[in-house]
Amino acid sequence: MSESAKLTLSGKEVELPLVKGTENEVGIDISKLRGQTGAITLDNGFGNTGSCSSAITYLDGEKGILRYRGYPIEQLCEHSNFLEASYLSIYGELPTLPQYKDWERNITHHTMIREDIKKYWDAWPHTAHPMATLSSVVSALSTFYEDSGDPWDPREVEIAIHRLIAKMPTIAAYAYKKSVGQPKVYPQNKLGYAANFLNMMFSMPTEDYEIDPIVEKALDQLFILHLDHEQNCSTSTVRIVGSSHANLFASVAAGVCALWGPLHGGANQQVLEMLEAIHAAGGNVDQFVARAKDKKDNFRLYGFGHRVYKNFDPRARIIKKTADQVLERLGVNDPLLEIAKKLEEVALSDPYFIERKLYPNVDFYSGILYKAMGFPTKFFTVLFAIGRLPGWIAHWKEMIESPATKIGRPRQIYTGATERPFVPISQR
Ligand code: ACO
């Protein structure tokens, strides 16, 4: 293969260098194209655009491969845990035992949040969406921790990383406790990451709360599965906000907002709401499948399809197995789960979905699993955010440390009115 691509524009030939990744992915470097020709590339939704080079996550949507720093997601789910996988994604290597112990201690030492921060929840209505309060509190951390906001000071960045990973579950659990009018439960540093979160969510001062090890393991695994997914919408948001040298807290707060949308992390909430709607309408799955296929109807089957996975979503495969185990363990008997199973069956055998390669994605099963674990629907995307946080951090750090980074500032093709004289209001 030649080392460059040639492009002919208005009779002029320009040579564009090729960039090759370690997995032989090829990119055409167009960074000098505008300077040489005056033309830009146009790629709505960036489906064909590489915004950076990155060594964190590799995925192959055709083959259903997902690896963090070279380690297959299946192996990490089986042998690792969320904190270790977080270290791996942020620092590039699996930790040694002393490194892991240090990392774990640093995270567990920062789990409490300032008492002042709790007052935010007094101001918000109990109906506040937890993604809104999560992004606000994460952003507000930069006001409480100005001593760890300098992107150019490695020690400050390190402390900001510990603070964010440690405090995110506490912030999330406080949002939940506010929504149900229960007292907030302080973190317990003797518990593991997922167990501590479950305890803050579901324990009450009035009775003992026992953490089911199967549920704890499943939640930890769900966090690993959501940890990173290269340049997705929220990660690209974190990178682009950080490219202006905004601090880590501010960049992550923006990522939380990007994740909230129903076409991204918000899809797991939409899945459950869709199942509830199907149930309320009498459980007729075929009718909803028909609506999803009708181009005049905006309705989509949430939890189906993916921008990059066009054969299967490897995360969905792992989750499906875990979901079966957890549901059996918890003995859940929920009509929504029956509807989900029917929907999966119908969609997987329908030519519309087969032709368009629309398979159940990670959100389809995670929503079902979260519901069985007792999380309220509105809370599902928050769980995704906790899992995705180390991925955002890894990308922000990689971006800040890369000499190739420039402020993110795409171009456009202007399609508005050409110059025209101002018309006074009396003459319009
Ligand atoms: N239900 C019905 N039709 C669908 C669906 C769906 N869930 N998803 C895609 N299609 C159809 C589109 O209408 C389009 O049909 P056409 O070719 O006849 O016009 C075709 O499949 C391709 O769809 P696009 O929207 O072009 O695919 P894109 O890659 O842009 O979208 C997306 C991917 C946003 C995930 C889409 O499949 C979708 O909206 N799914 C539902 C939302 C969802 O589950 N999101 C979670 C994604 S996973 C995550 O964020 C962790």
Side-chain angles (χ1 to χ4, degrees):
M1 184 172 50
S2 77
E3 292 307 303
S4 64
K6 288 194 176 70
L7 177 81
T8 308
L9 196 68
S10 311
K12 189 181 164 199
E13 191 174 83
V14 283
E15 220 169 289
L16 302 166
L18 296 189
V19 182
K20 216 169 171 187
T22 48
E23 293 281 354
N24 295 322
E25 290 169 302
V26 178
I28 302 171
D29 179 352
I30 53 110
S31 52
K32 299 217 164 49
L33 181 67
R34 187 168 171 274
Q36 288 174 347
T37 66
I40 61 162
T41 54
L42 185 63
D43 183 16
N44 281 324
F46 309 121
N48 216 34
T49 295
S51 60
C52 59
S53 301
S54 176
I56 300 167
T57 288
Y58 174 68
L59 70 85
D60 181 329
E62 300 302 324
K63 296 193 187 128
I65 292 174
L66 176 60
R67 298 183 201 131
Y68 303 153
R69 301 283 188 180
Y71 296 100
I73 187 79
E74 293 80 5
Q75 290 183 25
L76 290 170
C77 279
E78 200 178 334
H79 305 297
S80 188
N81 65 47
F82 179 61
L83 277 193
E84 187 181 53
S86 302
Y87 183 99
L88 169 71
S89 73
I90 295 169
Y91 297 106
E93 295 295 336
L94 286 167
T96 60
L97 190 60
Q99 283 170 333
Y100 180 76
K101 289 279 164 212
D102 223 34
W103 171 244
E104 192 183 42
R105 194 174 41 249
N106 281 324
I107 302 290
T108 46
H109 265 84
H110 286 100
T111 48
M112 279 183 52
I113 56 175
R114 297 270 182 95
E115 290 294 303
D116 285 349
I117 299 180
K118 283 160 89 176
K119 293 188 189 132
Y120 280 98
W121 283 282
D122 294 341
W124 286 317
H126 76 279
T127 50
H129 196 287
M131 287 298 275
T133 63
L134 186 67
S135 70
S136 304
V137 175
V138 168
S139 180
L141 291 181
S142 54
T143 67
F144 289 87
Y145 301 113
E146 282 186 349
D147 61 345
S148 57
D150 181 356
W152 308 111
D153 182 325
R155 181 63 189 141
E156 288 201 17
V157 169
E158 201 180 4
I159 297 172
I161 292 171
H162 298 155
R163 284 182 168 145
L164 265 172
I165 297 181
K167 292 179 199 308
M168 195 83 154
T170 314
I171 299 168
Y174 281 13
Y176 172 68
K177 288 298 192 189
K178 162 78 185 194
S179 73
V180 289
Q182 289 175 8
K184 297 177 180 66
V185 175
Y186 282 109
Q188 293 270 339
N189 292 350
K190 63 174 189 238
L191 296 174
Y193 195 80
N196 181 37
F197 178 53
L198 286 167
N199 190 61
M200 287 188 289
M201 285 287 298
F202 299 121
S203 73
M204 279 193 281
T206 43
E207 25 191 288
D208 289 337
Y209 172 69
E210 267 186 42
I211 297 157
D212 185 324
I214 290 197
V215 172
E216 178 189 352
K217 170 85 187 129
L219 187 60
D220 195 76
Q221 192 185 72
L222 279 158
F223 288 155
I224 298 178
L225 288 174
H226 285 93
L227 200 151
D228 193 38
H229 216 235
E230 49 122 296
Q231 309 309 320
N232 56 86
C233 177
S234 57
T235 303
S236 299
T237 301
V238 171
R239 273 187 176 260
I240 208 159
V241 172
S243 77
S244 74
H245 300 171
N247 67 56
L248 182 57
F249 300 117
S251 306
V252 166
V256 173
C257 291
L259 187 72
W260 189 2
L263 293 191
H264 189 15
N268 53 19
Q269 174 176 340
Q270 299 289 329
V271 169
L272 247 287
E273 285 171 3
M274 174 185 76
L275 295 176
E276 277 158 6
I278 298 175
H279 181 54
N284 187 344
V285 165
D286 295 332
Q287 183 195 332
F288 282 81
V289 171
R291 278 189 61 196
K293 288 159 43 177
D294 181 356
K295 292 291 163 204
K296 285 183 231 113
D297 193 326
N298 276 339
F299 176 77
R300 283 196 162 193
L301 278 192
Y302 282 98
F304 285 80
H306 197 276
R307 172 58 66 80
V308 288
Y309 293 123
K310 299 299 178 193
N311 271 324
F312 67 93
D313 181 339
R315 302 166 300 173
R317 274 200 178 163
I318 299 173
I319 280 202
K320 185 173 161 45
K321 246 203 237 159
T322 307
D324 289 343
Q325 278 168 11
V326 172
L327 297 180
E328 200 190 309
R329 162 75 173 213
L330 298 177
V332 177
N333 189 8
D334 187 334
L336 297 192
L337 299 177
E338 288 310 310
I339 292 175
K341 275 189 202 153
K342 244 194 259 169
L343 194 61
E344 184 190 14
E345 237 175 73
V346 173
L348 285 176
S349 57
D350 188 299
Y352 173 96
F353 290 87
I354 294 169
E355 278 158 25
R356 288 169 181 75
K357 301 190 169 185
L358 302 171
Y359 296 89
N361 57 45
V362 65
D363 289 323
F364 185 69
Y365 300 109
S366 65
I368 294 167
L369 203 43
Y370 293 145
K371 179 166 197 293
M373 288 174 173
F375 290 101
T377 314
K378 245 179 158 180
F379 221 74
F380 293 176
T381 317
V382 172
L383 299 165
F384 192 158
I386 296 175
R388 184 55 54 89
L389 174 65
W392 290 332
I393 293 171
H395 282 273
W396 182 92
K397 190 167 173 290
E398 184 181 64
M399 184 257 328
I400 283 288
E401 289 170 358
S402 166
T405 299
K406 291 179 180 180
I407 186 166
R409 203 302 185 185
R411 297 267 174 184
Q412 64 163 19
I413 297 290
Y414 176 68
T415 57
T418 52
E419 185 177 351
R420 46 186 172 164
F422 179 78
V423 182
I425 199 162
S426 56
Q427 290 166 33
R428 281 175 230 157

